[in-house]
Amino acid sequence: MEALAVSFQKRAKEAGLELLEDRIEKFLLFLRELKEWNRKFNLTAIKDDEEILVKHFIDSLSCLSGVPSKIYQKIRKVIDIGSGAGFPGIPLKIYQPTLDITLLEATRKKVEFLRYISRKLGFERSLEVIHGRAEEYGRDREYREKYDMAVSRAVSNLAILAEYCLPFVKIGGIFISQKGREISDELKKACKAIEVLGGRVREIIPYKLLLKEGELERNLVVMDKVESTPENYPRRPGLPAKRPIR
């Protein structure tokens, strides 16, 4: 694993990230457990060590470049919606242990893994894993508009993601959506939804993941929460995906 640790540190530096040795150890533990569980539960299609380091870990940490400098020190409570196998939430927690992170995931097997890896990494007291849907928890007063930042790598389009995520963000907070290379058409179609839900697009930040086979172009869509989300959002489970706000 020593060669992998060196490779990871090198790739992190290329992405402008400094990783302490204890953080690298936790990332490599996460990698080993992810691969072990993946043999049984198919948590991720990415199985190569180097690809996991870049496409999962480095990509997850890219969210930090979307946090405006004036509020960076104020970010404490973060929710990762549709966390899957823990991305981007767990890498963010490893890199910045002071963050109070909630992982929301609807698939039970993935929730089991998230709870297991949270204990394994020593985060059981400072990282919450909840099993359920964003449409349900977004109406729960314990979670609604309680977070400084929401993040998501989910593949849904932005109009749907806005309805899933913006209800969790307090006014003055931000929502960061990790998207692929082509974003302009999707963003145009999501403008009304973002406005209705109390959000406003701050900026689009392009970035690249450096892989052996070349570069992978990605975008961060950064939204400010400027007004409270109306009480009737999010709508009941399934409706945001079936009838996105237009």
Side-chain angles (χ1 to χ4, degrees):
M1 277 291 186
E2 186 175 339
L4 198 58
V6 171
S7 175
F8 186 36
Q9 192 155 42
K10 175 177 178 292
R11 289 180 175 279
K13 283 184 178 179
E14 290 171 347
L17 300 163
E18 289 292 335
L19 288 175
L20 301 176
E21 187 174 331
D22 65 323
R23 307 287 205 277
I24 293 175
E25 289 174 2
K26 284 185 181 291
F27 273 113
L28 295 184
L29 171 60
F30 184 17
L31 182 147
R32 290 195 299 270
E33 295 293 343
L34 177 67
K35 290 180 68 177
E36 182 63 31
W37 276 64
N38 204 45
R39 293 188 181 99
K40 298 177 285 185
F41 298 120
N42 193 30
L43 299 174
T44 173
I46 300 172
K47 298 178 173 65
D48 177 76
D49 288 350
E50 290 281 347
E51 285 199 43
I52 290 173
L53 293 180
V54 177
K55 291 184 178 179
H56 281 329
F57 297 171
I58 299 294
D59 189 39
S60 292
L61 295 177
S62 71
C63 284
L64 296 172
S65 66
V67 181
S69 57
K70 68 178 182 180
I71 67 169
Y72 191 92
Q73 297 301 326
K74 299 177 183 178
I75 298 292
R76 286 292 176 267
K77 286 178 67 68
V78 178
I79 186 165
D80 174 9
I81 296 164
S83 189
F87 307 112
I90 289 180
L92 291 174
K93 179 66 175 176
I94 293 173
Y95 186 79
Q96 190 62 267
T98 57
L99 292 175
D100 178 4
I101 290 187
T102 299
L103 308 178
L104 174 60
E105 173 54 44
T107 304
R108 183 170 295 279
K109 288 298 182 184
K110 291 178 180 178
V111 169
E112 289 177 12
F113 171 72
L114 294 175
R115 289 176 175 159
Y116 168 82
I117 196 62
S118 174
R119 293 191 300 271
K120 196 78 174 175
L121 292 167
F123 295 149
E124 62 267 41
R125 294 184 179 179
S126 59
L127 186 150
E128 181 182 13
V129 179
I130 50 178
H131 178 218
R133 298 180 64 120
E135 301 100 315
E136 296 166 337
Y137 277 93
R139 286 181 168 271
D140 187 324
R141 293 300 168 190
E142 187 177 345
Y143 298 93
R144 185 180 177 90
E145 298 194 333
K146 299 296 185 184
Y147 292 90
D148 303 306
M149 181 167 77
V151 292
S152 181
R153 284 212 312 176
V155 295
S156 300
N157 71 53
L158 277 173
I160 299 170
L161 287 175
E163 189 166 353
Y164 288 162
C165 300
L166 282 171
F168 289 93
V169 183
K170 63 176 68 171
I171 294 176
I174 59 172
F175 164 42
I176 297 178
S177 176
Q178 295 186 270
K179 305 296 291 184
R181 177 182 178 183
E182 299 298 331
I183 192 64
S184 56
D185 187 54
E186 185 177 341
L187 183 60
K188 191 181 301 182
K189 291 178 180 176
C191 282
K192 182 178 178 182
I194 294 167
E195 181 181 357
V196 165
L197 295 159
R200 182 172 61 205
V201 176
R202 171 186 282 265
E203 60 182 326
I204 311 298
I205 303 175
Y207 66 101
K208 295 177 181 179
L209 298 176
L210 303 178
L211 302 164
K212 290 178 181 177
E213 63 270 24
E215 297 177 340
L216 180 63
E217 296 183 21
R218 307 266 291 153
N219 281 289
L220 297 178
V221 181
V222 184
M223 303 179 201
D224 291 322
K225 183 68 175 287
V226 294
E227 296 179 348
S228 287
T229 300
E231 289 293 324
N232 51 324
Y233 295 103
R235 291 167 292 168
R236 67 178 184 271
L239 204 55
K242 192 177 293 183
R243 295 211 306 266
I245 301 167
R246 291 285 190 248

